Amino acid sequence: MNENRKKLKSLLLEVFMLNEDEFHFDLKKTDIATWDSLGVVSMAVGIQETFGYHFAPEQAVGIASVSDIIEILTEKGIRFDE
Amino acid sequence: MQILKFPALHQNLESTRAGLEGLRAAWREKESLILVQEPASVDSAWFDRTLGQVDAAFPEGCFALLTSGSTGAPKLVVGLKSRAEALAHVIHEHQSLEVVQTTVSSLPFTYSYCLVNQWIWSNVFGRPLIPTAGLADPEGWAETLDRSPASMVCLVGSQVSLMRRYFSPGRRFPEVIRVNFAGGVFPAGDLDYLRDLFPRADIYNNFGCTEALPRLTIRKIETVEDAAILGRPLPGVEMHVAEGGALHFRSPYGALAVADAQGLRSFGVGEWIPTGDVGESAGENLWRIVGRGNEVFKRFGEKISLQVIGDALRQVWKRSFAFYLEEEKDGQWGHVLVVAPRPSEMELRGIFGVFREKFRRPHWPVRIESVDDIPFLANGKPDAKSLASLEGKTVVWKQYR
C-alpha cells in the first residue's frame, strides 16, 4: 500500500476509533457513526498534522467520504497512487 | 491533644501494632487525640497552627484524622469519639456483624473508613483486629485471611485489580464472611470475581465521605444492579441533592469540624454538608452517584461524568485505570484516561468499542496514556494529582485538537 494511504488509514482509524477490519477506502461519512461534527474537526487537525494541508472549515464539513479526502489531497500534490 | 503516629502500611507492621496499642489506651482517655500517618507530607507550619486551633476548640472527647482525602490535598477532620462508637453500633446491626470474629486491615488506620468500620468496631465489640500491610504484601495479606476465622475486610475498588494480578484463578478466601467496599465506585464489573474470591462473604457497598466520618449508607450487593443505587440513609442520616447536583448530608455521626488550607471550620447544628459527590434521586430517599464533584464537568456543552465512563470501561478493561483533567488550548477541560499496564492492540480496540458504542465524542478522553503502574494514595485511591506529571507514560491514543 502506498505510504500516504497507510498514513491516512491509520489517521482515520484513530480519529473515528474504527477497527481495522471496518475500514476501506470507499467508506462514506454515513457509514461511520463517529463521523460527527467534532470528528470532522479532529480529522481536519489530524490531516494538517499528518499531511501538512489545512482544510478550510467549510471544506472539511463538505467532505462526504474517504475518497473526497484523497481527491482534495491529491489536488494539492499528495500522491495516493497504488 | 495526644498525637499518634502510624507508619505507612508497607513500612513497619510492628510499629503499626504498637500504634494500635497506643490508640487503644488514648481512646479511653478524656483528652482528644489525633492520628497521623507518617511520613505526613504536609506543611509543618500549617499543621502546627491547625493543631493549636483544634486543641483549643476540641480539647476533650474528640479524635482527629489527618487525611489526604480523595484529592491528595491534606485535610484534618475532627470527630467525637462517642459519635464514632454509636456509628459502629449502627454498622454492626446493619451488616449483622455478630457472627464476625475477626477483622483484617488492608488500609491505613488514618483513613476514617478503616478506623471506624474496623478499629472502632473491633474496640467496641471486643473482636481482634489483625493489622496487615494490605496488598503491599499480598502473600502476607492472603496468609492472614486464611488463618483469621470468620473475618471482615474493608477494601476500596482499586484494590480489586491488584488482587486479580496477585492471586491466581481459583484462589479463594473462605474464612472471609464480610467484605466492604467504600471510598469510591463499587466495582460492579468485578462482582463475579469477588464472589468467587470470597465465596462465603456478604458483600457491601458503603457510601459516605470523610466529613461524615465516614458512613451515610450501607447496601448489601447481591446483583450488579444493586451497585448502581446507594442504600437508604442510615438511621438519623438525611441526604438531599442541592442545586447543581451536589449531594449533601446531615448526620448524627458526622464530623464536628474540618481544617484545610482555608483554615478550621466547625459545622453548625443541622447544617447540610456537601459529600463531595454529585448525585441524583433514584426514588424515594434513594440516591444514585453521578461522580465526584471534581469528576463531573461540562465539555462541549455536555455533562461529562468520569464515574459513568469508568463504569462502562470496567466492562472491558479489568486492570487499573484512572483519569486526570487537563485544560485544553481553547480553555475547555478534558479528561485523560491512564491505563496500566499497556493494553494490547485487541484490548485497545475493546476500549475504543466502549467509547464508540456508549458515548458521544465529547465524552471521549483527550488522550489515552499507559503506564506500568498507576500511583495510589495511602487510602488506596488513584493519585490523580501526580498522574499528570508522571514520567514514563506512553500515549496510546489521542484526539486531534
Side-chain angles (χ1 to χ4, degrees):
Chain A
M1 191 191 288
N2 165 291
E3 199 54 39
N4 284 332
R5 276 185 179 262
K6 280 188 199 165
K7 281 188 195 172
L8 181 61
K9 177 182 171 183
S10 166
L11 173 69
L12 296 179
L13 289 180
E14 193 163 32
V15 165
F16 298 118
M17 283 194 174
L18 296 172
N19 291 329
E20 189 150 9
D21 57 8
E22 292 172 310
F23 183 86
H24 53 86
F25 284 94
D26 297 326
L27 277 177
K28 294 183 172 57
K29 182 178 178 174
T30 48
D31 300 326
I32 304 174
T34 50
W35 191 321
D36 52 16
S37 56
L38 288 173
V40 170
V41 175
S42 188
M43 177 180 72
V45 174
I47 285 175
Q48 185 171 6
E49 283 187 21
T50 309
F51 297 104
Y53 175 70
H54 174 68
F55 280 107
E58 60 279 9
Q59 192 182 18
V61 171
I63 294 170
S65 66
V66 177
S67 306
D68 285 355
I69 301 170
I70 292 177
E71 196 179 312
I72 292 166
L73 293 178
T74 302
E75 278 175 18
K76 301 298 165 191
I78 298 163
R79 305 286 303 265
F80 286 89
D81 305 347
E82 291 293 348
Chain B
M1 178 167 276
Q2 287 195 54
I3 300 178
L4 299 163
K5 294 182 178 175
F6 282 82
L9 268 190
H10 60 279
Q11 284 178 340
N12 189 336
L13 212 45
E14 281 310 310
S15 299
T16 301
R17 290 192 185 101
L20 288 174
E21 281 305 308
L23 176 57
R24 198 173 296 275
W27 193 265
R28 287 195 292 263
E29 301 295 322
K30 266 189 180 175
E31 187 184 2
S32 295
L33 61 94
I34 174 170
L35 273 71
V36 176
Q37 183 176 295
E38 297 271 82
S41 53
V42 295
D43 174 55
S44 57
W46 172 82
F47 182 66
D48 291 345
R49 189 174 61 248
T50 303
L51 205 56
Q53 290 171 337
V54 171
D55 204 13
F58 307 102
E60 288 186 355
C62 295
F63 68 101
L65 301 172
L66 182 62
T67 167
S68 60
S70 51
T71 60
K75 185 157 68 170
L76 201 139
V77 185
V78 185
L80 206 55
K81 291 178 193 174
S82 57
R83 285 189 182 188
E85 290 179 348
L87 179 58
H89 278 278
V90 172
I91 293 170
H92 186 84
E93 192 176 316
H94 260 69
Q95 299 190 332
S96 306
L97 298 182
E98 199 49 44
V99 291
V100 175
Q101 294 174 30
T102 51
T103 184
V104 176
S105 76
S106 320
L107 294 162
F109 292 101
T110 48
Y111 188 17
S112 60
Y113 169 35
C114 185
L115 183 78
V116 175
N117 282 57
Q118 295 198 276
W119 187 81
I120 294 177
W121 174 81
S122 78
N123 198 40
V124 167
F125 290 94
R127 313 292 161 87
L129 184 155
I130 303 159
T132 74
L135 287 158
D137 173 18
E139 278 184 27
W141 188 71
E143 279 170 21
T144 307
L145 291 185
D146 285 338
R147 62 180 160 76
S148 303
S151 66
M152 169 169 73
V153 291
C154 290
L155 303 167
V156 291
S158 55
Q159 287 175 314
V160 179
S161 62
L162 298 175
M163 291 190 273
R164 281 185 182 275
R165 185 191 299 180
Y166 295 136
F167 305 129
S168 46
R171 181 70 162 102
R172 291 188 172 88
F173 299 108
E175 283 301 329
V176 180
I177 60 171
R178 293 290 183 276
V179 175
N180 286 297
F181 280 92
V185 182
F186 180 85
D190 295 306
L191 190 56
D192 288 342
Y193 171 75
L194 292 167
R195 291 208 173 291
D196 195 51
L197 194 66
F198 303 109
R200 289 180 54 220
D202 288 345
I203 300 173
Y204 289 88
N205 183 24
N206 298 264
F207 173 72
C209 61
T210 307
E211 288 79 1
L213 273 177
R215 200 59 50 236
L216 295 170
T217 73
I218 295 173
R219 185 168 202 188
K220 189 171 172 183
I221 304 297
E222 311 265 16
T223 66
V224 170
E225 287 70 39
D226 292 340
I229 297 172
L230 304 178
R232 293 187 189 282
L234 295 172
V237 173
E238 296 171 86
M239 291 161 65
H240 86 118
V241 172
E243 206 173 315
L247 190 60
H248 287 199
F249 75 94
R250 293 197 286 219
S251 167
Y253 320 110
L256 300 174
V258 64
D260 55 19
Q262 275 74 51
L264 178 71
R265 192 172 79 83
S266 294
F267 297 119
V269 177
E271 180 179 343
W272 288 101
I273 301 168
T275 60
D277 287 295
V278 175
E280 59 188 21
S281 172
E284 196 185 342
N285 218 12
L286 286 173
W287 313 97
R288 183 184 295 113
I289 296 299
V290 182
R292 292 288 302 168
N294 58 0
E295 290 177 349
V296 179
F297 57 99
K298 285 273 183 85
R299 180 169 162 77
F300 295 108
E302 293 204 19
K303 196 184 207 179
I304 312 297
S305 163
L306 296 183
Q307 176 167 324
V308 171
I309 295 171
D311 286 347
L313 200 55
R314 276 184 202 90
Q315 303 302 315
V316 298
W317 181 252
K318 301 293 181 193
R319 285 172 285 175
S320 305
F321 68 88
F323 298 99
Y324 67 90
L325 297 185
E326 183 175 273
E327 191 172 5
E328 295 190 273
K329 280 178 282 188
D330 58 5
Q332 282 210 99
W333 287 89
H335 51 293
V336 179
L337 166 65
V338 185
V339 296
R342 186 178 181 141
S344 67
E345 191 60 32
M346 191 62 93
E347 288 170 326
L348 193 58
R349 293 288 153 199
I351 293 172
F352 286 177
V354 167
F355 285 110
R356 282 176 47 187
E357 286 158 26
K358 297 186 189 275
F359 299 104
R360 289 159 47 81
R361 192 177 284 262
H363 300 253
W364 293 10
V366 172
R367 281 189 307 284
I368 301 176
E369 299 175 337
S370 75
V371 288
D372 292 335
D373 288 297
I374 302 273
F376 288 99
L377 295 167
N379 60 16
K381 297 175 187 177
D383 184 355
K385 218 173 165 186
S386 72
L387 270 179
S389 55
L390 199 64
E391 288 183 3
K393 289 187 293 187
T394 306
V395 176
V396 293
W397 181 83
K398 67 171 181 176
Q399 290 220 47
Y400 290 91
R401 294 267 298 136

